[in-house]
Amino acid sequence: MSSLLTKLTIVIPTFERHSFVTRAMKFWDGKGPRVYVLDGSKSPIPKGLLETFSEKINYIHLPVSFADRLAFFCDQMLAEGEGVDEYLVLQGDDEFYIPNGLEKCIERLESDKDLTTCSGVPMGFRPVKGFGIEGFKCYEKLFGYMRCESEGEKRAAAHMG
């Protein structure tokens, strides 16, 4: 387990995709980051399955809109300042981050306290008949793209916008 990843909180919103999100929960369990799954599904993930994860995997069944689940997280978790680590990343329920890539992002953020956000190179994968999978770069048009706002809050808003 990386000590850098223990500084990270991963938030995974999901809706009616338990197989995707439980795969992500299994992937991150034991790797260091704290994970919050914000599930808007009609039915929750079975308690027996949830009990197989460590205390670093936090499951919240909240059958409300995506925006309301994120607002709940911000109001309840971020506002209280408890249960959230120094760095925060939002992950789709069918996405994966390479742990080493997240470590590099944390290293970069720690080396330059003026930075608000950091990201790597997004990759896509697709099955190739008879071969396995093929990887390819996504979002080539964003190569070298930067936002240089003077204040941290403005940089974060510009980045997320």
Side-chain angles (χ1 to χ4, degrees):
M1 169 174 48
S2 163
S3 63
L4 285 177
L5 290 181
T6 61
K7 297 180 176 188
L8 180 66
T9 298
I10 300 172
V11 178
I12 308 174
T14 190
F15 179 77
E16 301 295 345
R17 291 171 30 130
H18 289 166
S19 64
F20 283 106
V21 80
T22 55
R23 182 179 62 180
M25 294 161 74
K26 288 175 186 175
F27 178 81
W28 286 115
D29 201 16
K31 288 189 171 63
R34 183 181 319 268
V35 175
Y36 285 94
V37 173
L38 308 177
D39 186 4
S41 302
K42 293 174 187 167
S43 299
I45 292 175
K47 186 176 180 180
L49 177 58
L50 294 174
E51 291 173 347
T52 66
F53 298 110
S54 74
E55 71 283 347
K56 297 278 268 188
I57 306 296
N58 302 278
Y59 176 79
I60 301 168
H61 180 244
L62 196 61
V64 296
S65 73
F66 176 77
D68 287 342
R69 280 179 276 142
L70 290 180
F72 168 84
F73 180 80
C74 292
D75 292 345
Q76 299 298 312
M77 309 311 243
L78 295 180
E80 294 173 6
E82 293 183 29
V84 177
D85 299 297
E86 188 173 351
Y87 300 101
L88 181 70
V89 65
L90 185 66
Q91 175 182 319
D93 60 7
D94 64 347
E95 297 175 329
F96 281 93
Y97 292 114
I98 298 170
N100 183 268
L102 290 174
E103 291 172 340
K104 295 295 182 190
C105 288
I106 292 170
E107 287 173 3
R108 179 70 176 112
L109 290 167
E110 291 191 342
S111 72
D112 185 348
K113 295 298 183 183
D114 289 332
L115 292 178
T116 303
T117 61
C118 184
S119 64
V121 176
M123 296 287 294
F125 297 93
R126 65 177 167 223
V128 178
K129 191 171 189 174
F131 179 76
I133 60 169
E134 173 186 32
F136 53 94
K137 284 187 178 181
C138 299
Y139 313 120
E140 287 287 337
K141 65 182 180 184
L142 296 178
F143 180 76
Y145 175 79
M146 297 183 78
R147 288 297 299 244
C148 298
E149 304 292 339
S150 60
E151 298 174 34
E153 287 181 9
K154 288 182 181 177
R155 281 196 304 275
H159 175 77
M160 298 307 286

